[in-house]
Amino acid sequence: MRLGVTPDHRNTVEPDFLVWRDRKLGVLEVDGPWHTGRAADDHKRDRRLREHGIRVVERYPAERCYSMAGSVVAEFLQLLDQNG
C-alpha cells in the first residue's frame, strides 16, 4: 500500500494484515522481538495509516498470535466493528 506518493519519494507501508469487514478497514500488526526498541517508528507508521483513513490499527505480540490466533482475530474484529 502506498501512502502519500510524491514524485521524489515513495513511502511504502506493508501491513501484516489489512482487514476489510462490512465496509470498515483495519490493520492488524503482529509484533515479534524485532519490534523491541522501535516504538517510535511503530507509532509513526500507525499514525500514517490513520491519516489515510484507517481508523483501527492494532498491534499484538507474535507469541499471542501464534498461540491464541482465534482470540486475537475475534478481539480485532470486535474493535473494527466498534471503531472502524
Side-chain angles (χ1 to χ4, degrees):
M1 151 186 328
R2 292 205 188 271
L3 303 177
V5 176
T6 61
D8 61 337
H9 178 70
R10 292 181 176 196
N11 185 4
T12 301
V13 176
E14 297 180 21
D16 293 329
F17 296 95
L18 186 62
V19 180
W20 178 263
R21 176 179 162 114
D22 296 328
R23 298 188 300 183
K24 297 177 181 180
L25 187 60
V27 169
L28 188 156
E29 292 286 342
V30 178
D31 289 350
W34 54 90
H35 282 268
T36 302
R38 295 189 41 143
D41 291 335
D42 289 342
H43 289 298
K44 181 179 177 183
R45 174 186 162 99
D46 295 351
R47 188 171 34 257
R48 295 264 307 139
L49 290 165
R50 287 189 186 98
E51 287 171 355
H52 284 81
I54 299 174
R55 295 178 62 186
V56 177
V57 179
E58 288 295 319
R59 297 182 166 277
Y60 294 89
E63 288 182 19
R64 182 171 175 218
C65 292
Y66 298 137
S67 65
M68 300 170 48
S71 68
V72 168
V73 170
E75 181 180 317
F76 180 83
L77 291 176
Q78 182 177 17
L79 289 169
L80 187 58
D81 288 343
Q82 293 172 351
N83 303 304

